[in-house]
């Protein structure tokens, strides 16, 4: 599944307030709950799954990216939220730098192939320095969605789409 298919304007927060990873995860879970992408009943086990995943191994990547994620039995559809932090979030990233793009994903437990393909697509998408800079400088959720969807339709992304149909 492509990131542009997962996100909508209600799950993009352009000014994350949290500077610590668990608080940032909670902030993005609040975004998903407010957008009605998660119910309050789903939020508790989802939070537990993501926190447990984070405690086993940090999902702080490199280049200012964090991809906290978890799988749950009570989730039927892949959902996610994107938070942007100009100041950065301490996410125990591999390069020891703060995360400025925090993408939270919640996945149904029994859809391993979707999980792997989605994470691979996101990694491919966020690997471009120029594109990450454009996301960080975007003015609002609509501009962010437009950037993501345009990039996922570009010829640079063609090879990825063909491999993971």
């Amino acid at each position: 599944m492509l990131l542009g298919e997962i996100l909508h304007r209600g799950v993009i927060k352009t000014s994350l307030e949290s500077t610590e990873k668990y608080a940032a995860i909670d902030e993005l879970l609040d975004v998903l709950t407010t957008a009605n992408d998660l119910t309050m009943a789903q939020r508790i086990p989802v939070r537990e799954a993501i926190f447990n995943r984070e405690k086993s191994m940090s999902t702080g990547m490199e280049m200012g990216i964090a991809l906290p994620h978890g799988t749950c039995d009570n989730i039927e559809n892949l959902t996610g939220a994107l938070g942007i932090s100009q100041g950065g979030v301490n996410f125990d990233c591999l390069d020891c730098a703060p995360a400025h793009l925090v993408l939270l994903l919640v996945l149904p437990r029994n859809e391993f192939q979707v999980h792997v393909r989605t994470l691979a697509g996101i990694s491919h998408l966020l690997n471009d320095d120029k594109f990450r800079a454009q996301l960080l400088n975007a003015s609002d959720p609509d501009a962010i969605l437009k950037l993501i969807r345009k990039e996922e339709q570009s010829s640079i992304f063609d090879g990825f789409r063909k491999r993971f149909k």
Side-chain angles (χ1 to χ4, degrees), residues 91-104:
F91 233 96
D92 300 321
C93 291
L94 296 172
D95 59 3
C96 299
H100 296 279
L101 297 169
V102 181
L103 179 61
L104 176 80

Side-chain angles (χ1 to χ4, degrees), residues 1-3 6 53 59 61 66-71 78 103-107 112-126 157 160 164:
M1 191 168 214
L2 297 174
L3 186 57
I6 298 167
R53 168 65 178 88
T59 56
M61 310 312 275
L67 295 172
H69 58 279
T71 59
L78 178 96
L103 179 61
L104 176 80
L105 294 176
V106 183
L107 305 113
F112 182 74
Q113 288 298 324
V114 172
H115 183 148
V116 170
R117 289 176 181 169
T118 300
L119 289 174
I122 290 166
S123 295
H124 183 75
L125 182 67
L126 297 178
F157 217 73
F160 178 82
F164 289 104

Side-chain angles (χ1 to χ4, degrees), residues 28-46:
L28 290 174
L29 286 171
D30 290 344
V31 167
L32 286 172
T33 304
T34 300
N36 296 315
D37 284 19
L38 277 184
T39 66
M40 287 306 288
Q42 290 172 317
R43 190 186 190 286
I44 294 168
V46 165

Side-chain angles (χ1 to χ4, degrees), residues 16-28:
L16 270 181
E17 298 168 20
S18 304
T19 59
E20 188 270 328
K21 68 177 166 178
Y22 293 106
I25 291 168
D26 275 331
E27 195 173 337
L28 290 174

Side-chain angles (χ1 to χ4, degrees), residues 9 12 17 24 34 52 64-65 74 80-81 90 93 96 100 102 109 114 118 123 127 129 131 136 143 146 148:
R9 69 181 329 271
I12 298 173
E17 298 168 20
T34 300
N52 286 340
I65 302 167
N74 67 341
N90 179 2
C93 291
C96 299
H100 296 279
V102 181
R109 184 169 310 281
V114 172
T118 300
S123 295
N127 195 41
D129 293 336
F131 178 71
L136 288 171
K146 185 176 178 180
I148 290 169

